[in-house]
Amino acid sequence: NSLIIEVGGGTTEVMMLRRGKMVAAHSLRLGTIRLEQQVRASWESTEDLETFLRENIRVTQEILNAEMRMDSIRFFVAVGGDARLAAARAGRKEEAGFSVVEREDFNELIAGLQGYSLDEIVSELEVTYNEAEGLVPALLILKMFLDSTQAKQLIVPDVSIREGVLLSFALGASKEVEHEFYTQVVASAANLGKKYRFDEAHAMHVRKLALSLFDQLEDDHGMDQHARMLLEVAAILHDIGNYIRASGHHKHGQYIVANSEIFGLSRSDIAIVSHIVRYHRKAMPNSSHTSFISLRREQRIRVMKLSAILRVADALDRGHNQRIRDFRVEKDDDLVTLYCDYAGDISAEKHGLELKAEMFEEVFGYQVVAV
């Protein structure tokens, strides 16, 4: 169980992993420059700063506790230049590209720095004034998160998250790294679903059926693996709006997804996923739907294609009982036939497909039936 944190100028990025799988990813509006702009004038001492931070971070910690108890965290990974400064001063270098700082040594370092003036920090640590100004606030943020965990040390990588991203672009990500990233995105989506008490068996089965249809229609839709990942996330979360109300749950689901964070997905990705959730049932997109119209043309096309696929997959588990285990696609002129491997009576699923196949026919030009 791990927490990864990077304190930046404008935000603090927090990621939580349980048994190696992403549980939560948050971008908190708490950073050293933001603190400087908001409350610097009212600080009379570092104790005032610590009180301000403790109150702001307490609310965040309560939210994180709901996703994974902070006191269950054993590994605390502090990323960024401020953490590296602390590691250089109070830690020990490890051979695998990171340093380790014992909790007691880290607390002792902060206590010492809180008694220093800005000039003394610059002189003692041999840093610039710009680095020195944000150092104590950044380390205090790390300390307050660390105090909520049972981690005995800070693990400090030699590179920041952003530098790591640039390195991966420069060196080329391996298939193993890409697969691990994909897995963490899906784990983050599943945890969001659990937070809103989704029907996990149904969601994961619709996910399986949607991906099967995506893969078997690859020549028709022409989309890439990133689109496949967005479909997978949307399939997992398509019924999440039931947490608010079953009636209109597609619209409630759009709102929840649009205002959530999913590890590895940009705001543009989140917008696409939220619209796929919106259009997994009921009305298709039209000119009166302002949020859809505000998307770029290529995003609207992607939403239409992936929503059409998701509607078919959702219809194939209309009873939420996973009777249709899988299917094989055969195309003939303007007809797509799904030859299903199933158990029991699937008349409800066939009827559901009749109701929800219109969008698929409009987008792909195929009528679709299940046998």
Side-chain angles (χ1 to χ4, degrees):
N1 291 354
S2 308
L3 183 145
I4 304 170
I5 181 169
E6 179 173 16
V7 182
T11 61
T12 294
E13 309 297 329
V14 177
M15 291 174 277
M16 301 172 74
L17 294 92
R18 181 189 294 117
R19 298 186 183 92
K21 298 298 182 185
M22 191 65 60
V23 171
H26 294 279
S27 183
L28 313 176
R29 294 174 63 82
L30 186 69
T32 54
I33 295 174
R34 194 183 295 275
L35 284 170
E36 179 83 21
Q37 294 170 339
Q38 289 178 335
V39 295
R40 179 65 135 181
S42 64
W43 298 349
E44 293 184 5
S45 65
T46 52
E47 286 77 14
D48 293 335
L49 169 61
E50 191 166 352
T51 300
F52 174 85
L53 287 174
R54 196 173 301 282
E55 180 58 30
N56 277 266
I57 290 173
R58 180 184 61 79
V59 177
T60 297
Q61 288 171 335
E62 290 174 359
I63 295 171
L64 296 177
N65 263 324
E67 296 172 307
M68 185 173 88
R69 288 196 57 83
M70 297 283 286
D71 58 13
S72 73
I73 291 169
R74 296 175 54 229
F75 299 100
F76 189 95
V77 182
V79 188
D82 298 303
R84 292 201 296 272
L85 278 172
R89 185 74 178 182
R92 66 180 186 274
K93 184 71 178 170
E94 298 286 342
E95 61 183 48
F98 65 93
S99 301
V100 168
V101 187
E102 299 300 327
R103 184 197 280 253
E104 296 78 8
D105 296 334
F106 183 66
N107 289 336
E108 186 177 329
L109 172 67
I110 293 176
L113 290 175
Q114 285 180 290
Y116 283 10
S117 68
L118 188 63
D119 289 333
E120 287 172 329
I121 292 176
V122 169
S123 174
E124 183 71 18
L125 299 185
E126 298 181 346
V127 296
T128 66
Y129 277 92
N130 190 41
E131 291 172 319
E133 283 181 337
L135 181 61
V136 171
L139 297 184
L140 280 173
I141 292 171
L142 293 177
K143 178 182 185 302
M144 289 175 191
F145 278 99
L146 178 64
D147 287 346
S148 300
T149 75
Q150 60 170 313
K152 296 178 180 176
Q153 54 190 205
L154 290 83
I155 300 168
V156 184
D158 291 345
V159 295
S160 70
I161 293 172
R162 293 164 185 81
E163 289 165 343
V165 170
L166 291 172
L167 279 170
S168 71
F169 275 117
L171 301 176
S174 67
K175 290 295 182 183
E176 291 80 7
V177 170
E178 288 180 0
H179 175 74
E180 179 62 23
F181 175 78
Y182 195 119
T183 300
Q184 297 294 4
V185 173
V186 172
S188 181
N191 196 71
L192 182 62
K194 291 174 184 175
K195 180 180 178 181
Y196 290 99
R197 301 174 188 171
F198 72 152
D199 180 343
E200 186 170 0
H202 171 67
M204 292 306 180
H205 194 64
V206 170
R207 161 202 180 192
K208 172 188 172 183
L209 298 176
L211 294 181
S212 178
L213 187 57
F214 182 96
D215 292 342
Q216 294 187 67
L217 293 175
E218 183 178 7
D219 293 339
D220 295 277
H221 60 64
M223 290 181 286
D224 58 15
Q225 287 298 300
H226 188 74
R228 189 182 190 274
M229 181 175 68
L230 298 182
L231 173 64
E232 185 166 2
V233 171
I236 291 170
L237 299 175
H238 74 280
D239 277 346
I240 197 173
N242 281 319
Y243 180 82
I244 298 175
R245 190 179 180 186
S247 175
H249 71 265
H250 53 303
K251 295 180 182 179
H252 301 316
Q254 179 185 17
Y255 177 82
I256 291 173
V257 173
N259 290 279
S260 297
E261 293 181 87
I262 299 172
F263 169 78
L265 297 191
S266 66
R267 294 318 303 175
S268 175
D269 290 335
I270 293 287
I272 291 173
V273 171
S274 71
H275 280 86
I276 299 168
V277 170
R278 162 70 176 81
Y279 295 117
H280 87 272
R281 67 190 290 267
K282 296 292 185 179
M284 291 186 286
N286 63 60
S287 58
S288 69
H289 298 170
T290 54
S291 65
F292 177 75
I293 297 301
S294 68
L295 298 175
R296 298 193 308 273
R297 181 176 179 275
E298 61 271 20
Q299 291 176 317
R300 295 197 300 271
I301 293 171
R302 181 161 285 194
V303 167
M304 292 284 288
K305 288 181 177 180
L306 296 179
S307 298
I309 291 172
L310 181 55
R311 284 188 181 219
V312 171
D314 190 33
L316 295 179
D317 194 39
R318 193 180 190 197
H320 289 222
N321 47 31
Q322 296 81 61
R323 284 183 178 150
I324 296 179
R325 294 183 286 254
D326 204 350
F327 57 83
R328 174 175 51 84
V329 171
E330 281 196 10
K331 293 180 290 184
D332 182 22
D333 296 329
D334 59 352
L335 178 67
V336 164
T337 304
L338 308 179
Y339 289 93
C340 299
D341 171 18
Y342 62 91
D345 181 10
I346 61 168
S347 56
E349 285 70 24
K350 288 182 178 180
H351 180 60
L353 187 56
E354 291 174 6
L355 296 175
K356 300 187 75 170
E358 180 185 357
M359 189 173 184
F360 187 90
E361 185 172 357
E362 181 171 314
V363 172
F364 294 109
Y366 291 110
Q367 181 185 359
V368 57
V369 296
V371 296

